[in-house]
């Protein structure tokens, strides 16, 4: 008995796959599409296959160009996935207005911040029913192994994140708490220096109260929907934007001496985020000691026109 189309599609929906943007260029015209139907064929020589529906608007360009690139999307590139899937109404060359693009060897467009990209020349095209299987020889690759890919499974976008589902919810609350304490610090009376110090203290309080959650978040991996990650990442960007504005305002009134506000923001947040790595956050001096140490380090990063000597680090760090 033949398997029905409905049963086949339902079964295939359980096959999680990386989301890729397949791109090409022919006579100055770029084309691309979102696809999960990408497979490794052989390693010697390095060959991979991509299935393209002949009804796809980009099919003609792929069939004529002789080259293509497979760009594996990172988990925070959902907008790019939907753009090249055609669901946003953007067509043709306009799709490349999103993302940063370059080239490797064949001339096919390469997404510069992809998880990995395979630059391929077409060795063979094999027809199967409604699709063509493009067999590409990999001519060049670029990789960013620290990034996690965007996935598609059971009709939903998803990704790999470092947490269990319960811990993920707890981490969301921590991120919201950090955003709230920054808002409270900025709204408080006083100079930017005092507001920054208030934010640093509140950040330490939140982190030490949730130290086990933070440690678990960075030591486990599970699945989570990309939309959920997108909300958290947007909240983090909001915090970064507001902290950057506070630093700029402080520099304007002479409270701070900063060269690059974005870099200083990243340095402060990165340092405060390192609290979960402290081996004994409730050691000698406890949370008060942590507040003094981290508060001093934040001050040292932005102190105007003077050198500060670092106080001795005690057991709390």
């Amino acid at each position: 008995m033949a398997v029905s189309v409905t049963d086949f599609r339902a079964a295939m929906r359980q096959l999680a796959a990386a989301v890729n943007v397949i791109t090409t260029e022919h006579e100055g015209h770029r084309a691309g599409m979102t696809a999960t139907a990408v497979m490794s064929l052989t390693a010697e020589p390095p060959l991979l296959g991509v299935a393209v529906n002949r009804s796809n608007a980009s099919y003609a360009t792929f069939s004529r160009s002789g080259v293509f690139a497979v760009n594996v999307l990172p988990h925070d590139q959902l907008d790019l996935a939907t753009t090249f899937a055609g669901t946003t109404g953007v067509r043709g060359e306009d799709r490349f207005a999103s993302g940063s693009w370059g080239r490797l060897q064949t001339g096919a467009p390469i997404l510069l911040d992809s998880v990995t990209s395979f630059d391929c020349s077409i060795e063979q095209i094999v027809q199967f029913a409604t699709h063509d299987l493009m067999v590409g020889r990999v001519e060049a690759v670029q990789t960013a192994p620290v990034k996690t890919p965007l996935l598609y499974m059971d009709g939903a976008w998803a990704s790999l994140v470092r947490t269990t589902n319960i811990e993920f919810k707890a981490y969301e609350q921590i991120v919201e708490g950090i955003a709230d304490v920054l808002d409270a610090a900025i709204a408080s009376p006083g100079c930017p220096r005092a507001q920054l110090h208030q934010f640093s203290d509140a950040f330490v309080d939140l982190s030490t109260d949730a130290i086990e959650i933070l440690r678990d978040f960075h030591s486990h991996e599970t699945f989570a929907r990309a939309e959920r990650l997108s909300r958290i990442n947007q909240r983090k960007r909001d915090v970064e934007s507001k902290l950057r504005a506070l630093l700029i305002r402080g520099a304007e009134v002479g409270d701070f001496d900063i060269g690059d506000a974005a870099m200083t923001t990243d340095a402060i947040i990165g340092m405060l985020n390192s609290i979960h790595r402290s081996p004994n956050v409730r050691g000698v001096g406890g949370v008060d000691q942590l507040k003094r140490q981290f508060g001093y380090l934040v001050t040292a990063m932005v102190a105007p026109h003077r050198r500060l000597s670092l106080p001795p680090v005690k057991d709390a760090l």
Side-chain angles (χ1 to χ4, degrees):
M1 180 178 177
V3 175
S4 70
V5 173
T6 300
D7 289 344
F8 177 73
R9 287 176 175 170
M12 288 299 298
R13 284 165 67 95
Q14 303 307 312
L15 184 62
V19 179
N20 316 282
V21 168
I22 316 300
T23 56
T24 192
E25 182 169 345
H26 179 61
E27 295 181 347
H29 174 67
R30 292 186 293 182
M33 63 182 187
T34 298
T36 57
V38 176
M39 67 205 79
S40 170
L41 298 177
T42 64
E44 296 180 0
L47 298 176
L48 56 76
V50 177
V52 183
N53 194 315
R54 286 192 292 278
S55 66
N56 188 287
S58 300
Y59 169 78
T61 308
F62 278 104
S63 63
R64 295 168 184 161
S65 68
V67 301
F68 67 84
V70 175
N71 301 283
V72 182
L73 295 184
H75 71 264
D76 58 356
Q77 290 278 18
L78 177 59
D79 290 346
L80 203 62
T82 55
T83 295
F84 278 86
T87 59
T88 63
V90 180
R91 298 286 182 266
E93 179 69 25
D94 291 341
R95 293 181 176 182
F96 291 88
S98 300
S100 299
W101 301 91
R103 291 177 174 80
L104 291 178
Q105 186 167 324
T106 71
I110 298 293
L111 181 65
L112 297 181
D113 56 352
S114 65
V115 175
T116 190
S117 291
F118 301 89
D119 188 20
C120 304
S121 58
I122 296 178
E123 292 245 323
Q124 187 178 3
I125 296 179
V126 184
Q127 290 190 350
F128 290 98
T130 57
H131 285 63
D132 279 5
L133 177 65
M134 300 189 304
V135 178
R137 177 185 287 266
V138 180
E139 306 289 357
V141 296
Q142 73 166 22
T143 60
V146 298
K147 295 185 176 182
T148 55
L150 179 64
L151 305 177
Y152 193 75
M153 179 181 174
D154 198 19
W157 307 102
S159 183
L160 289 169
V161 295
R162 295 177 172 177
T163 182
T164 67
N165 189 53
I166 294 174
E167 292 155 353
F168 191 93
K169 290 180 180 177
Y171 184 73
E172 283 180 309
Q173 292 176 352
I174 295 171
V175 173
E176 287 297 328
I178 290 171
D180 290 342
V181 297
L182 178 57
D183 286 341
I186 293 173
S188 66
C191 63
R193 183 175 63 254
Q195 292 170 344
L196 181 60
H197 193 272
Q198 179 179 330
F199 171 64
S200 174
D201 280 358
F203 196 113
V204 172
D205 279 333
L206 271 172
S207 298
T208 51
D209 286 344
I211 195 69
E212 299 304 326
I213 295 172
L214 291 171
R215 285 174 177 166
D216 287 340
F217 183 83
H218 292 286
S219 62
H220 297 93
E221 288 188 345
T222 188
F223 288 104
R225 291 183 180 275
E227 294 92 337
R228 195 174 185 187
L229 284 175
S230 180
R231 289 195 297 271
I232 281 187
N233 290 333
Q234 182 57 56
R235 204 70 174 111
K236 288 181 176 180
R237 286 192 289 269
D238 290 343
V239 169
E240 292 166 359
S241 177
K242 290 177 181 179
L243 180 56
R244 186 164 56 249
L246 173 60
L247 295 179
I248 292 172
R249 182 160 51 85
E252 290 173 347
V253 299
D255 271 4
F256 306 144
D257 182 16
I258 55 174
D260 185 314
M263 184 178 296
T264 306
T265 299
D266 289 343
I268 290 174
I269 292 177
M271 189 226 7
L272 291 172
N273 277 332
S274 70
I275 292 173
H276 76 273
R277 299 189 182 95
S278 301
N280 186 17
V281 297
R282 296 184 178 91
V284 177
V287 176
D288 288 340
Q289 174 68 12
L290 276 176
K291 287 181 179 180
R292 286 193 294 271
Q293 292 290 341
F294 279 93
Y296 183 87
L297 290 171
V298 169
T299 300
M301 288 183 185
V302 298
H305 311 298
R306 65 175 181 272
R307 292 180 177 271
L308 298 176
S309 58
L310 188 67
V313 177
K314 298 184 180 179
D315 291 343
L317 290 174

